[in-house]
Each structure stands twice: as structure tokens, then as C-alpha cells.
Amino acid sequence: MATMASVGSPRAAASVRSRGALSAGAPQGGTSWCCYPAVPPAQRKRNPATARRQPVFSATLLSLTLIVCFFTTTASAFQLPFFNNPTLGTNSTMSVQKYSLPPLPYGYDALEPAISRQIMELHHSKHHQTYITNLNAALATYATATAAGDIPTQLGLQQALKFNGGGHINHSLFWENLAPANSSDVKLATAAPKLAERIAETWGAEEKFKEAFAKALLGIQGSGWGWLVKMEGEGGRLAIVTTKDQDPVVGPGEVPIFGVDMWEHAYYLQYLNGKAAYVQNIWSVLNWKTAEERFLGTRADAFKTLKASI
């Protein structure tokens, strides 16, 4: 009996009427939302409770916008297929390309004594591979969530995509900006004349640049990376940039010229806590030829190595 009485209540009747109006088409006086009857715009009153929620809703929209911007930027660097897929947001099945470990352009022992064979083998075959494995798993889950319209799962994956995707980007660039010490590619003046000129214009001399770069590297608290970056939209201005953890350099107009890994797994087995010695020795195996190519090229040119790892 209680159920029957509630069904016959004015509140229930209003709900039924509004749903009927919504399904059949709202009257000309206004549009009906949810379980509220259609009301002409002139008669509508602002609900204080709704008004209080508006700033939260706006903040949520802003957060979503920033996340989408991040994913779009990263996808541009990764060439992630689901951002260009016309079925985005539908229930269709979405295929996701998988990334694989890119081969080194030299042997594991080629950078000795600056970087030992043991470190290179572990760093490349274990650490980098782990980032790729986790990235592929996150991308597959993200694609499934996107196809299902599962926004909470998509948002929950952003850190995994950023961390593991950044790890793949950073290491793919890192391997190519290193070269054996006996290679002609490690001589700045001859391997990168245009970049050497710009460095001199910016810092006054090669040694002053190296001092500034080393200071930035040794100033990183915890784990991170140091980068020489070209700003495309600012006349090719050079800047020294440090990033936390595996955050990649993928901002608009940012072209990574070369990077140095300052995670402990990059040096600790050989240098222990002697980070300064690692930083000093890294210059002997820095591939200035690759740095010159990135300096003279575009952002897309710098990230072409990622396409090769699909």
C-alpha cells in the first residue's frame, strides 16, 4: 500500500509527466531535463545548489581539457593510432599498435669506459623494455576504455601512459644521442658546426655551456633528465631543460637536441654515488652528429625513432 501511495504522489506524477514530455519532445515553452517538467525560460529560477556546484564542474572541464591536451601532444610524438581513429568514442573495437625495443646503433660495450657494458645491457634490455611492456599494456586498456566510453578508466591511466610513454620516448632519444668515444661523431666542432655556433652565441663558449648543463644535471633532486632543447617558435632559441622522473620533452615547439639520463640505474653500478664523474664522462660519448641533425631538423624529425619502434 505504501508503494501505491508513493506512486500516486504529486512528486511521482511530475516525474512521470516530465519523462513523457522528454521522450515525446519538449513543449515549445522550453526543454525538459531529467525528471523536471518543461518550464519556459522566463519562469526558470536559478537553483542555489546547482549554482554552488558550477565551479566544481568548471574545474572538472578544465582538468579534462588539460588531460586531453597532454594525450594529444604525446600522441603526436608517439603517432598513437587511437587519437586519429574515426571510431573514437563509439563501441567499435579499436586496434592499437604495439611498440618494441629499438636496437642500439652500437654494442653494449661500445661506450666503455664512460658507460660499462653491464649498465648498458641492463639499462637497455631490462629498464627500457619494462617501460615498453607497461606502455603497451596501458595503451591496450586505454583503447578498450575509449571504445566503451569509460572515462574514469581513461583518466586513471594517464599517469601510466605519461610515465611509461615518457620512459620509451626518453630512452629512444638517449640511445641515439650516444656514440663510441673513438667515433668522429663525438667532436662538437666538426660533427655539429651549426649547433656549435649557436651554443657559442648563447653561452659564450663550449666549456661554459658544459658547465651550465652539468650544474643543471647535478641539481636534479631524485630522478630525472637533463635536455638541450630547441624552441621552434622562438627563432630556434636553445635552452637547458630538466624534467622529473620520466616526463618527456613534448611541449609545443620543443625539439629535444640531446638528453642525459640522471636516474640511478644509468650510472650507479659503475659510479656509485659519484654523479659528477658520470656527468663529466658522458661528454666523451655524446653523439654531436645526431644533435646537429635534430638541431637543423623539426620536432617530427627528432621523434622519427619512435615510429621505427612500432
Side-chain angles (χ1 to χ4, degrees):
M1 296 297 294
T3 302
M4 292 179 64
S6 63
V7 170
S9 66
R11 180 178 179 181
S15 177
V16 171
R17 284 197 303 271
S18 67
R19 289 178 182 177
L22 184 61
S23 60
Q28 294 182 353
T31 302
S32 175
W33 293 94
C34 190
C35 60
Y36 296 98
V39 179
Q43 299 179 20
R44 293 175 188 166
K45 294 183 179 180
R46 189 176 185 183
N47 188 326
T50 303
R52 285 195 298 271
R53 288 196 298 269
Q54 285 177 346
V56 177
F57 183 66
S58 299
T60 302
L61 282 178
L62 176 59
S63 177
L64 285 171
T65 301
L66 292 175
I67 291 168
V68 170
C69 287
F70 165 76
F71 278 129
T72 304
T73 303
T74 307
S76 177
F78 277 6
Q79 298 294 305
L80 299 184
F82 53 81
F83 279 100
N84 298 317
N85 195 311
T87 63
L88 183 65
T90 71
N91 291 324
S92 61
T93 302
M94 302 173 68
S95 61
V96 178
Q97 293 171 310
K98 290 187 176 182
Y99 291 88
S100 59
L101 185 68
L104 294 180
Y106 39 74
Y108 284 133
D109 60 350
L111 304 183
E112 291 184 333
I115 305 177
S116 70
R117 175 190 176 92
Q118 181 187 27
I119 285 181
M120 287 300 301
E121 187 169 2
L122 287 172
H123 199 172
H124 177 255
S125 67
K126 301 299 182 182
H127 290 282
H128 190 177
Q129 180 61 65
T130 298
Y131 293 124
I132 293 172
T133 299
N134 292 337
L135 172 63
N136 287 333
L139 288 175
T141 304
Y142 189 90
T144 300
T146 300
D150 185 356
I151 294 179
T153 296
Q154 290 175 268
L155 297 183
L157 286 166
Q158 64 168 312
Q159 182 57 33
L161 287 169
K162 182 180 180 182
F163 182 77
N164 294 293
H168 180 43
I169 287 179
N170 293 338
H171 287 88
S172 296
L173 295 172
F174 182 55
W175 306 135
E176 291 195 347
N177 67 224
L178 298 176
N182 60 1
S183 169
S184 60
D185 296 342
V186 301
K187 308 298 182 183
L188 172 59
T190 55
K194 295 295 184 182
L195 178 57
E197 181 180 345
R198 183 62 61 85
I199 286 175
E201 292 174 357
T202 306
W203 284 277
E206 177 184 348
E207 289 306 314
K208 289 185 178 180
F209 159 70
K210 289 182 177 180
E211 289 175 5
F213 198 87
K215 182 178 180 180
L217 292 178
L218 296 175
I220 294 174
Q221 296 181 348
S223 301
W225 289 75
W227 296 91
L228 177 63
V229 177
K230 180 182 75 170
M231 311 302 294
E232 282 187 321
E234 302 178 31
R237 177 179 67 86
L238 294 180
I240 294 172
V241 176
T242 61
T243 58
K244 181 176 175 56
D245 295 330
Q246 291 296 349
D247 290 359
V249 177
V250 292
E254 294 180 344
V255 181
I257 305 301
F258 69 81
V260 175
D261 190 347
M262 292 304 292
W263 279 65
E264 286 190 345
H265 63 234
Y267 64 86
Y268 199 84
L269 288 177
Q270 181 177 355
Y271 293 94
L272 300 180
N273 64 335
K275 289 195 295 184
Y278 164 68
V279 171
Q280 180 179 355
N281 290 337
I282 200 76
W283 296 113
S284 67
V285 291
L286 188 68
N287 191 330
W288 288 107
K289 180 180 179 181
T290 295
E292 177 88 336
E293 292 172 354
R294 293 175 183 170
F295 173 66
L296 297 177
T298 65
R299 187 170 181 272
D301 294 330
F303 289 118
K304 64 183 179 182
T305 182
L306 298 174
K307 300 178 184 179
S309 69
I310 294 178

